[in-house]
Amino acid sequence: MSGKGIRIEGLTKRYGRGDTAVDALKGVDMQVAPGEVVGLIGPSGSGKSTLLKCLGAVIEPTAGRMILGDEVIYDDGWRVGDLRALRRDRIGFVFQAPYLIPFLDVTDNVALLPMLAGQPNAESRRRALELLQGLDVQHRARAMPSQLSGGEQQRVAIARGLVNRPPVILADEPTAPLDSERALGVMRILNRMARRFETAIIVVTHDEKIIPTFRRIYHIRDGVTYEEAGQGRGFD
Amino acid sequence: MKRLPIQGRTLGLLAVLLPLLGLFVYVAVRSGPLAPVPVTLATVEEHTLSPALFGIGTVEARYRYRIGPTVAGRVKRLEVQVGDRVRAGQLLGEMEPVDLEARLLAQAAALKRARAQLREAEAAHAYARSQALRYEKLLAAHTVSEEVVAGKRQERLLTGAALDGAREELVRVGAEQEALQAQRDNLQLVAPAAGLVTLRGADPGTTVVAGQAVVELIDTNSLWINVRFNQTEAQGLRAALPAGIVLRSRAGQRLAGQVLRVEPLADQVTEETLAKVSFARLPDPLPPLGELAEVTVSLPGLPSAPVIPNAAIQRVKGRLGVWQVSGGDLRFTPVELGVAGLDGRVQVRVGLRSGDRIVVYSARALSARSRITPVERLSGAGS
Amino acid sequence: MISLAGRDILHAWGKFVFTGIGLGLLIGVTLTMAGVYRGMVDDARVLLDNSGADLWVVQRDTLGPYAESSSLHDDVWRGVRGLPGVARVANVTYLTMQVRQGERDVRAMVTGITAGEPGLPGWPPRLVAGRQITRGHFEAVADVASGFKLGERIQIRRNAYRVVGLTRRMVSSSGDPMVFIPLRDAQEAQFLKDNEAIRQERRRTADNPAFNRPGVPGLLDAVINSQSSNPYVNAVLVQLAPGHAAATVADSIRRWKRLTVYTRPQMEEILVGKLIATSARQIGMFLVILAIVSAAIVAFIIYTLTLGKIREIAVLKLIGTRNRTIAALILQQAIALGVIGFAVGKITATFWAPVFPKYVLLLPLDSVIGFGAVVVICVLASVIAIRAALKVDPAEAIGG
């Protein structure tokens, strides 16, 4: 399922029109290879959220290109037809809060995506269990999200993000509510998963605890990204 | 073990939803047209039936005397009160004679005068006869003229006529006196038979017209009941049948009696047959006249025949019949009914045999397609 | 494919079931309301059914005997009986009055039935206990709704009657239980009110010098006698001989007897169309309002349930759930709520219907219509919630 990571070139996003137009993104370039975990750091109002939404195929950029694996998603105003299916099948999301579906148990929370994509229930659940096993939460497979601890919830959320083997996972402040030990744990898992599933993972964060773990960091400021080498070694 | 929470939830939901579903099905099946009709069944049995007729009537007296004056007058005295028993010939009261005595006196005087006139006429006639005789002799001796003798003869004839007149006058005056006498006698109100005073229509001093009853008597031994039977329910009514009488004032007490006669005239306005029923023994105290009485006339018992309760009888499409149950099937059997008893049982002449099972009570209208559940007693029917 | 709606219901079944029960009680009220209307119509119908008549002969130009007072001489039936096509006729009187039993007072429609045999028009067609009247006087068959028991003595005006039989669902068009007594007694009961009234009437007559002449001794008695008899009945019930059309026979009675005649459909029109029309419209209005209230409540409930899930919906949308799936989630929940509500409503309506003082008739067809209406209302009510859900921006899930 792995692709060739994600690549964006000159991504621009303009809100509004004419005199009141604001450029949130002013030609962002970014590339994340499969198996790589990069950080995306920026202050509020830097265009970080907008970039994330563009990457997540929730909003369309005004201009620029985005290539996911070997598929062109945007190209200067053109976009692929079904963003929804794209989100479902090719992008994984991990949020600050886990946002698990409260009325589904752990397995089904993870299995939901393949199910929605039309996979048989049994097959979807088998894949979910496999993932949960890999994330060491298989013992809570039948529990409801409300019965899990914060770390466990986040691991289930990661499993959900991974279940369709997407070429890219967008993680939005995945460690914010966690203490440093657990935050590092999550980062360890993300790194492991990225390598295992050949997935490019972009972690949006301003969590000081985990910044040192990135090998590569994109800083975004005023709608422009600057690449920087990180200190981390990626939990090898 | 980890599965338990979910299972608990599911069980909880089932615990609520399953009874709900069960109730719903129960409600859907047990009410509405799908539900079977509860009925009670009975078996047709051979039974003798003592039919009876039921009518109501009033206590009346067979002989009732209304006593009053023959001419208008004023009541002078009245000796009896309502409730008094009187003998035959007993003086009950008297009317005021008013001027009758005076007229009687006048009449007596007139009689005397008539007698005196008679005597006078007799004397005059005797004299005229002797005179006529003497002159006849004288004529024979030719001492008087023919003419004088003729005069004397005429005188004799005249006085004879006067004498006849005086005699008739005496008879007339005598008769007149007798009439007045009779009138005076009639002022007395006399009981024609022994009986009980039931009405005192006027008190002394009241003026009454001729024919108005001042006193009413009944013959207590002649009390009977004038009973009215609905014409549709008077079949078999005839004289000499035994009857049970329940007076309204003595509801629990059944008095024996018998039908005295069935009136030849029916009441065509009320469509009723009338009959008189007499008491076997007069009740004591006597019931007041006009009291309502319920009369049950027992007809002779009938030979044993299949009988059914009248509650089972239905009319379907214009035909009288019953719902018969045979082998779990329901079908309408037309019947021909015979005599009915007052207890609600009816003889069946044609249509059913003893041993047949029929529906007596049903909670709803039945049709040949109805499903039924036989029950002991319909709910709500009480005891 | 997984049923999101089912899982959500399973997850919060307590809330869901209790909401459903609450809604169900409301639906139960609505069904009962419809049942009350059906009961009124049914009361009118059973009155006609139970009379066993094909034609009603009443006083000229009246809507009698149920909707308007009507009085006929009690020998009119003889002339009607002779007409071709008439199989059976019977006089009948109807009078709604108080019937006493011991200390109790029951309002009942006292029906005077012609002496004869069971099956005559006017007679109670079915009993649930006891027997039919066999005596021409002082026996009564009462409806169980009156509360009278077999063997009890009841007082109607001046006379006491023994209850010999019981019926069920023999009611007047206004739902009063019927009490059947022999016609003669009923005529008397209609006319002779009570002893005091009779005495006063007699005194009045006696005080009238025209009736109480000194020279004519029997006159007063004759006048009083004629005053205290009642040769009237309210209607003549006619059963047709087989093969004769009601309209034809009715026409010939109208033409030759100069009386007003109603056939069964006309009578039903009078009872249902005139007598209970206003009440029916009243109930109809109530039904409409209840339906609107139910719809509003379902809409509120569904909307609130949906708003409570807005976060999840945003996540679902972000991870690529189709709108159809989300709409189906809400719609299925709304319908499930409706189904639970309907079941609860139907059950409660059935169980509390017999407690109502008047007859509540729950027709299966009404239930089916009600079910359809509930589903439609739930679907419509969920539209608002679905719109709200579809408007949710998937971007909301990304903390943005």
Side-chain angles (χ1 to χ4, degrees):
Chain A
M1 283 274 174
S2 62
K4 294 182 179 144
I6 185 167
R7 184 152 58 90
I8 52 178
E9 295 165 359
L11 208 63
T12 306
K13 176 68 186 173
R14 167 172 294 186
Y15 289 110
R17 237 162 237 236
D19 292 345
T20 59
V22 175
D23 285 333
L25 297 177
K26 302 169 182 164
V28 174
D29 296 327
M30 206 170 164
Q31 181 171 14
V32 187
E36 192 186 13
V37 178
V38 299
L40 179 62
I41 300 171
S44 307
S46 60
K48 185 175 62 173
S49 289
T50 307
L51 178 57
L52 192 62
K53 284 172 190 169
C54 287
L55 289 171
V58 178
I59 59 175
E60 291 172 39
T62 317
R65 269 160 67 93
M66 171 164 152
I67 298 156
L68 184 60
D70 42 17
E71 188 182 1
V72 178
I73 309 299
Y74 309 118
D75 192 352
D76 276 336
W78 174 93
R79 68 168 176 87
V80 296
D82 191 356
L83 290 179
R84 191 186 302 278
L86 181 80
R87 289 204 298 268
R88 186 180 68 208
D89 299 334
R90 319 243 6 224
I91 303 173
F93 291 95
V94 178
F95 310 110
Q96 173 176 359
Y99 291 151
L100 297 175
I101 308 297
F103 49 82
L104 296 179
D105 66 13
V106 166
T107 315
D108 285 341
N109 255 294
V110 177
L112 181 62
L113 276 168
M115 285 176 183
L116 288 176
Q119 298 282 333
N121 288 2
E123 165 68 13
S124 307
R125 292 214 174 92
R126 195 188 53 72
R127 269 164 64 186
L129 276 172
E130 218 176 84
L131 269 174
L132 290 171
Q133 211 154 11
L135 289 165
D136 216 18
V137 280
Q138 75 275 24
H139 59 292
R140 310 305 305 264
R142 304 290 303 183
M144 297 308 282
S146 56
Q147 295 164 317
L148 302 181
S149 70
E152 285 170 333
Q153 285 189 22
Q154 198 57 285
R155 269 184 277 171
V156 175
I158 292 167
R160 182 174 64 185
L162 284 166
V163 72
N164 271 341
R165 310 284 195 267
V168 64
I169 287 180
L170 302 175
D172 181 17
E173 306 269 10
T175 58
L178 303 176
D179 59 29
S180 56
E181 192 185 328
R182 291 211 174 104
L184 289 174
V186 166
M187 286 314 294
R188 191 174 296 122
I189 289 167
L190 284 178
N191 276 280
R192 203 171 73 218
M193 291 297 139
R195 278 200 302 280
R196 184 165 155 196
F197 296 112
E198 299 265 288
T199 301
I201 297 182
I202 300 171
V203 179
V204 179
T205 186
H206 54 262
D207 188 351
E208 295 295 333
K209 301 188 289 281
I210 61 166
I211 289 173
T213 67
F214 296 112
R215 281 180 177 160
R216 216 149 55 87
I217 294 174
Y218 284 97
H219 287 276
I220 180 164
R221 200 171 295 124
D222 297 330
V224 182
T225 48
Y226 309 90
E227 194 181 338
E228 180 192 20
Q231 314 152 336
R233 300 182 48 240
F235 304 100
D236 286 331
Chain B
M1 272 111 273
K2 302 292 175 209
R3 297 173 60 87
L4 248 178
I6 295 267
Q7 281 205 331
R9 252 170 231 289
T10 316
L11 283 179
L13 187 66
L14 286 182
V16 174
L17 285 186
L18 278 185
L20 201 66
L21 188 74
L23 270 176
F24 186 74
V25 171
Y26 171 83
V27 158
V29 173
R30 293 302 302 191
S31 67
L34 298 175
V37 183
V39 297
T40 63
L41 299 180
T43 307
V44 180
E45 287 172 352
E46 288 273 335
H47 226 287
T48 57
L49 202 63
S50 307
L53 307 175
F54 178 81
I56 58 167
T58 47
V59 178
E60 286 176 10
R62 183 176 196 168
Y63 301 113
R64 190 169 174 181
Y65 309 99
R66 301 160 66 89
I67 301 155
T70 48
V71 291
R74 201 162 46 229
V75 180
K76 183 181 180 191
R77 62 195 179 93
L78 210 51
E79 304 285 343
V80 291
Q81 298 292 335
V82 170
D84 287 354
R85 288 190 168 275
V86 296
R87 297 180 320 276
Q90 186 180 331
L91 183 68
L92 305 175
E94 220 176 329
M95 300 297 295
E96 187 75 57
V98 196
D99 57 348
L100 208 57
E101 291 297 331
R103 271 158 59 201
L104 267 174
L105 273 178
Q107 204 62 38
L111 192 66
K112 278 182 191 147
R113 203 184 57 168
R115 284 203 187 106
Q117 278 170 351
L118 178 64
R119 279 198 304 276
E120 189 187 316
E122 274 171 353
H125 185 53
Y127 174 70
R129 208 171 46 185
S130 61
Q131 277 291 86
L133 207 61
R134 201 158 60 88
Y135 273 86
E136 292 282 350
K137 283 177 187 159
L138 287 176
L139 180 63
H142 301 286
T143 47
V144 290
S145 69
E146 186 83 6
E147 196 182 351
V148 172
V149 172
K152 290 300 173 188
R153 275 186 196 144
Q154 196 207 1
E155 247 172 48
R156 189 189 64 194
L157 284 174
L158 281 174
T159 54
L163 179 63
D164 283 350
R167 276 203 193 105
E168 291 308 312
E169 174 68 11
L170 182 63
V171 170
R172 186 186 69 79
V173 172
E176 256 179 14
Q177 193 191 22
E178 269 166 30
L180 279 176
Q181 199 76 46
Q183 239 184 57
R184 197 182 63 180
D185 291 346
N186 235 351
L187 289 177
Q188 294 184 338
L189 306 173
V190 175
L196 185 73
V197 178
T198 56
L199 177 89
R200 190 178 142 104
D203 286 316
T206 316
T207 309
V208 292
V209 295
Q212 189 177 349
V214 173
V215 175
E216 222 176 82
L217 286 185
I218 57 158
D219 179 357
T220 51
N221 290 323
S222 73
L223 282 191
W224 64 14
I225 296 169
N226 187 17
V227 194
R228 315 171 76 90
F229 292 93
N230 256 317
Q231 281 169 3
T232 50
E233 291 164 4
Q235 189 193 0
L237 183 66
R238 59 188 163 75
L241 286 174
I245 302 164
V246 177
L247 293 168
R248 215 174 192 215
S249 58
R250 290 166 234 191
Q253 200 182 338
R254 194 181 164 93
L255 304 166
Q258 71 167 9
V259 178
L260 207 61
R261 67 162 188 256
V262 179
E263 295 292 338
L265 286 178
D267 189 332
Q268 58 170 341
V269 175
T270 61
E271 297 150 18
E272 282 168 321
T273 298
L274 307 178
K276 300 288 189 279
V277 171
S278 62
F279 290 99
R281 232 183 58 210
L282 280 179
D284 184 49
L286 284 177
L289 290 195
E291 178 171 354
L292 204 66
E294 296 173 15
V295 176
T296 311
V297 175
S298 315
L299 297 178
L302 293 170
S304 179
V307 296
I308 56 169
N310 66 3
I313 302 166
Q314 311 270 313
R315 191 181 289 280
V316 174
K317 295 200 179 82
R319 305 195 66 179
L320 220 50
V322 295
W323 287 101
Q324 191 179 349
V325 181
S326 50
D329 278 350
L330 197 62
R331 84 188 135 87
F332 188 73
T333 310
V335 294
E336 220 171 88
L337 297 175
V339 179
L342 288 182
D343 60 354
R345 288 188 300 186
V346 188
Q347 276 192 350
V348 179
R349 281 215 296 266
V350 182
L352 289 174
R353 283 197 311 274
S354 64
D356 285 347
R357 299 282 284 166
I358 57 167
V359 173
V360 183
Y361 309 125
S362 64
R364 291 201 302 271
L366 295 174
S367 73
R369 289 195 308 278
S370 299
R371 283 198 302 143
I372 55 170
T373 40
V375 292
E376 196 65 30
R377 178 190 300 160
L378 295 183
S379 65
S383 50
Chain C
M1 186 59 205
I2 184 170
S3 163
L4 289 174
R7 290 310 187 84
D8 190 19
I9 292 170
L10 213 57
H11 177 66
W13 67 268
K15 184 170 71 175
F16 206 79
V17 165
F18 283 114
T19 312
I21 288 174
L23 179 67
L25 293 177
L26 189 66
I27 292 173
V29 171
T30 314
L31 285 176
T32 311
M33 219 61 213
V36 167
Y37 169 70
R38 295 290 183 193
M40 285 172 67
V41 173
D42 197 61
D43 277 352
R45 292 233 170 88
V46 294
L47 176 62
L48 301 183
D49 285 343
N50 293 340
S51 75
D54 297 318
L55 296 177
W56 285 258
V57 180
V58 298
Q59 186 185 337
R60 199 169 156 81
D61 297 333
T62 63
L63 292 176
Y66 311 112
E68 189 181 346
S69 74
S70 145
S71 98
L72 293 173
H73 273 103
D74 61 2
D75 52 4
V76 163
W77 71 270
R78 297 178 202 179
V80 175
R81 176 70 189 84
L83 291 172
V86 174
R88 274 167 296 278
V89 295
N91 280 328
V92 72
T93 65
Y94 295 104
L95 186 64
T96 302
M97 53 173 113
Q98 295 297 115
V99 177
R100 264 178 299 140
Q101 194 275 311
E103 298 290 296
R104 277 189 319 137
D105 230 7
V106 177
R107 186 181 155 83
M109 185 159 89
V110 175
T111 307
I113 52 173
T114 307
E117 54 188 10
L120 267 181
W123 280 61
R126 278 183 310 288
L127 298 186
V128 294
R131 59 171 171 83
Q132 299 273 18
I133 291 172
T134 54
R135 290 175 172 80
H137 291 278
F138 309 138
E139 285 190 339
V141 169
D143 192 77
V144 286
S146 64
F148 299 142
K149 303 267 184 299
L150 278 188
E152 278 184 347
R153 297 190 74 79
I154 56 174
Q155 188 84 23
I156 300 171
R157 293 277 159 84
R158 298 174 61 248
N159 288 320
Y161 298 78
R162 202 156 66 86
V163 178
V164 296
L166 294 176
T167 63
R168 180 181 292 169
R169 284 294 295 136
M170 307 272 165
V171 292
S172 75
S173 55
S174 51
D176 297 321
M178 285 169 98
V179 173
F180 299 87
I181 60 174
L183 183 75
R184 293 256 159 270
D185 294 351
Q187 282 179 304
E188 193 182 303
Q190 267 196 6
F191 189 77
L192 297 179
K193 291 155 187 77
D194 60 275
N195 293 350
E196 184 59 24
I198 295 167
R199 206 186 66 77
Q200 295 289 344
E201 189 60 42
R202 266 196 224 153
R203 187 185 57 73
R204 240 169 255 132
T205 310
D207 284 352
N208 187 339
F211 294 137
N212 196 2
R213 289 188 162 156
V216 194
L219 180 63
L220 181 63
D221 289 339
V223 169
I224 286 175
N225 244 339
S226 104
Q227 276 181 349
S228 49
S229 65
N230 174 21
Y232 294 99
V233 293
N234 299 127
V236 175
L237 305 179
V238 176
Q239 276 180 357
L240 297 174
H244 287 265
T248 323
V249 179
D251 272 342
S252 73
I253 297 175
R254 270 184 216 117
R255 182 168 171 200
W256 299 115
K257 299 292 159 197
R258 291 171 302 283
L259 297 165
T260 296
V261 187
Y262 294 110
T263 59
R264 169 72 200 241
Q266 288 171 329
M267 211 66 205
E268 208 166 301
E269 166 62 24
I270 289 174
L271 284 189
V272 179
K274 294 205 162 71
L275 212 54
I276 61 174
T278 328
S279 322
R281 277 204 295 278
Q282 185 104 336
I283 288 174
M285 276 310 296
F286 214 83
L287 264 180
V288 169
I289 290 170
L290 272 175
I292 293 171
V293 169
S294 306
I297 287 179
V298 177
F300 290 150
I301 291 171
I302 299 291
Y303 190 66
T304 319
L305 284 177
T306 308
L307 284 191
K309 284 196 293 281
I310 218 79
R311 253 276 112 92
E312 287 79 31
I313 288 170
V315 173
L316 282 171
K317 290 183 91 169
L318 182 67
I319 62 177
T321 312
R322 278 184 302 239
N323 280 350
R324 192 142 47 94
T325 312
I326 290 167
L329 159 75
I330 295 167
L331 195 64
Q332 283 170 20
Q333 285 190 350
I335 290 173
L337 202 58
V339 169
I340 292 177
F342 177 78
V344 170
K346 173 76 182 155
I347 291 165
T348 49
T350 307
F351 277 97
W352 71 38
V355 185
F356 276 69
K358 275 183 78 172
Y359 187 56
V360 176
L361 175 62
L362 302 167
L363 287 180
L365 184 66
D366 282 355
S367 299
V368 172
I369 293 172
F371 182 71
V374 166
V375 170
V376 168
I377 285 173
C378 286
V379 169
L380 291 180
S382 62
V383 164
I384 309 169
I386 289 174
R387 275 175 58 90
L390 294 188
K391 267 201 227 145
V392 172
D393 185 357
E396 271 178 44
I398 307 177

